[in-house]
Amino acid sequence: MNGCEHAVEYVYQYLDEELTLTRRARISVHLRRCGACCGAFEFEKHLKAKIAAGGKSEPPPELFDHLRALLEQERTNEDSGS
């Protein structure tokens, strides 16, 4: 496996800091030397940050109203024997 394949294989573990110090150091060295992989890692890092930021909003209140109505309808159907 060449350096690029090795770096790509561990992209998310690297970004999440879930790798051993040795493996992380090897990938860091590769990223400093390989512009293509460094660019790919930067893209993934920014994408991950955007996804994380987008997931912090609260669902609209209408969603909860709709779910409550569905649950009530299900309960009514069960009570009536349907």
Side-chain angles (χ1 to χ4, degrees):
M1 179 180 294
N2 70 31
C4 292
E5 290 171 346
H6 188 72
V8 170
E9 179 181 356
Y10 294 106
V11 65
Y12 294 109
Q13 289 111 341
Y14 180 86
L15 292 173
D16 293 339
E17 299 181 6
E18 297 174 344
L19 297 174
T20 63
L21 288 175
T22 303
R23 184 159 285 156
R24 187 165 179 78
R26 287 180 184 165
I27 292 173
S28 291
V29 168
H30 178 78
L31 291 175
R32 283 194 299 273
R33 295 179 180 167
C34 181
C37 283
C38 186
F41 269 71
E42 285 299 312
F43 174 83
E44 294 296 337
K45 184 168 92 175
H46 290 293
L47 177 62
K48 184 177 178 193
K50 288 276 189 190
I51 291 169
K56 293 182 181 179
S57 63
E58 290 291 319
E62 300 83 30
L63 175 64
F64 294 111
D65 294 340
H66 184 70
L67 289 173
R68 282 187 201 96
L70 288 173
L71 289 170
E72 184 60 35
Q73 182 181 1
E74 188 65 27
R75 251 187 253 123
T76 302
N77 288 342
E78 287 177 3
D79 290 345
S80 67
S82 299

